Amino acid sequence: GNGNAVETVFIPEDDRGTLCISTQAGCALDCAFCSTGKQGFNRNLTVAEIIGQLWLANNALGAVHGDERVISDVVLMGMGEPLANFENSVAALKLMLDDNAYGLSRRRVTVSSAGVIPGMDRLRDECPVALAVSLHAPEDALRDRLVPVNRKYPIAELLKAKGYKTGQFGK
């Protein structure tokens, strides 16, 4: 909608099929290496637009209900920061996990974040799927340049975030 295009990418492997889904059109975080950040932030995707990517991909790949699943894994790792569109991303995740909808396993659904700590904590409490945090640098000075959100949520705070260090995400 609104003339914004988003990317959805299917990654086929021998033992699984992973769908990479977008949660925003554009992104406000402006990480140095990311082309999405260069286009600026347009808007959050709706729940329908997020889950619709899974629906469209299933259709395009010829997946028929009841047949062997083509898409076994989903990663919210496309355009946008999922935790900056928290409500819609989590509502879509819950549909992906619901046995009456897509019935994916929590262990096969991953949210990728640049490290928005309040959202990480809420995700663990509200929808405990796997979490991938994109560090991109081992120390703050470099990460501040590469991932500007690090200035707000530095590495030491990330490492203390609920469930991150202890590996409780995705369990």
Side-chain angles (χ1 to χ4, degrees), residues 4 10 29 33 38 48 57 73 76 84-85 87 92 106 140 159 167 171:
N4 300 130
F10 179 63
L29 295 190
F33 45 82
K38 300 292 165 269
D73 296 60
L76 268 52
N85 184 13
E87 303 297 338
R106 282 184 195 282
D140 284 321
L159 294 176
K171 294 276 190 287

Side-chain angles (χ1 to χ4, degrees), residues 68-148:
E68 189 178 326
R69 182 181 307 249
V70 181
I71 297 167
S72 60
D73 296 60
V74 169
V75 291
L76 268 52
M77 202 179 282
M79 299 169 69
E81 165 57 58
L83 300 181
N85 184 13
F86 187 89
E87 303 297 338
N88 292 345
S89 294
V90 165
L93 286 167
K94 287 179 176 175
L95 282 170
M96 293 175 200
L97 298 171
D98 191 315
D99 285 338
N100 294 316
Y102 284 94
L104 293 172
S105 161
R106 282 184 195 282
R107 292 184 307 281
R108 293 186 168 274
V109 177
T110 303
V111 171
S112 176
S113 174
V116 179
I117 293 172
M120 290 164 54
D121 290 343
R122 280 187 69 196
L123 184 71
R124 180 175 164 264
D125 294 340
E126 294 180 31
C127 189
V129 292
L131 176 75
V133 177
S134 305
L135 285 173
H136 294 293
E139 43 84 29
D140 284 321
L142 178 58
R143 193 167 194 266
D144 284 349
R145 293 202 307 275
L146 296 177
V147 186

